[in-house]
Amino acid sequence: GLDLWKRTDYTVDDLDMVQLYDGFAFQPITWLEGLGVCEVGEGHRFIEGGTRIALDGELPMNTGGGQLGWGRLHGFGFAFESVVQLRGEGGARQVQGDPRVAVATSGGSLRLASARLTAAWPASPISPSSPSRAMRVSPMVAQCCTILKASFAMLGRTRNT
């Protein structure tokens, strides 16, 4: 997690939300610690009571419901939810304010895990068809988002996106 911050000018203090892999209950706690959100061994205190990680909290976490909300997609849902939130398309689950920076994690073990820092910036040019909250994303992330939307549509699940 800390290696992520070595490769960018962003810091943990820039985070507006986190979408953390939660295949097992301890994993979001270890991600919070590993990313430097809190000290190692203090993750359980950071999430205690849920107010700090609530939608209107200090650091909203897993705003799309995590693995329980998405099903077991091993991180694809977290990348998708980050993009939805940064675009301002979260509907009732939209993070308050103007979220600009998110981390989405994946993987079920430390050897296979990954973290992705996603930041929004205004698309150019800004026009009614390209609102200021639009976000440029890599072709891979855009393709994953399209596949996820189509998959949920086929399953009869609706997402507020």
Side-chain angles (χ1 to χ4, degrees):
L2 294 177
D3 284 341
L4 177 72
W5 305 120
K6 293 176 185 174
R7 293 172 169 79
T8 179
D9 292 335
Y10 289 104
T11 70
V12 69
D13 295 328
D14 294 315
L15 283 175
D16 295 311
M17 80 195 82
V18 290
Q19 309 296 333
L20 304 178
Y21 183 80
D22 60 352
F24 298 94
F26 74 91
Q27 289 172 317
I29 294 170
T30 57
W31 272 115
L32 288 169
E33 295 171 356
L35 289 166
V37 172
C38 56
E39 295 295 321
V40 173
E42 297 296 315
H44 66 289
R45 285 186 177 80
F46 187 86
I47 66 169
E48 190 172 29
T51 57
R52 292 173 101 176
I53 59 171
L55 193 57
D56 61 350
E58 176 185 329
L59 187 65
M61 183 171 82
N62 293 1
T63 54
Q67 299 282 356
L68 290 175
W70 285 101
R72 196 126 167 117
L73 298 174
H74 299 288
F76 288 108
F78 300 116
F80 177 75
E81 181 67 11
S82 293
V83 172
V84 166
Q85 290 290 334
L86 294 175
R87 285 182 172 171
E89 298 173 355
R93 67 180 195 283
Q94 180 63 43
V95 170
Q96 296 178 0
D98 186 25
R100 309 301 293 162
V101 180
V103 166
T105 65
S106 66
S109 72
L110 293 177
R111 289 176 40 172
L112 300 175
S114 65
R116 178 181 180 86
L117 177 69
T118 307
W121 65 93
S124 234
I126 295 172
S127 69
S129 62
S130 175
S132 63
R133 294 202 47 139
M135 185 181 123
R136 295 180 227 165
V137 296
S138 71
M140 182 201 69
V141 172
Q143 184 175 13
C144 286
C145 290
T146 301
I147 291 167
L148 283 170
K149 279 186 174 183
S151 298
F152 279 113
M154 289 186 332
L155 293 171
R157 291 175 138 176
T158 56
R159 299 296 295 173
N160 232 359
T161 59

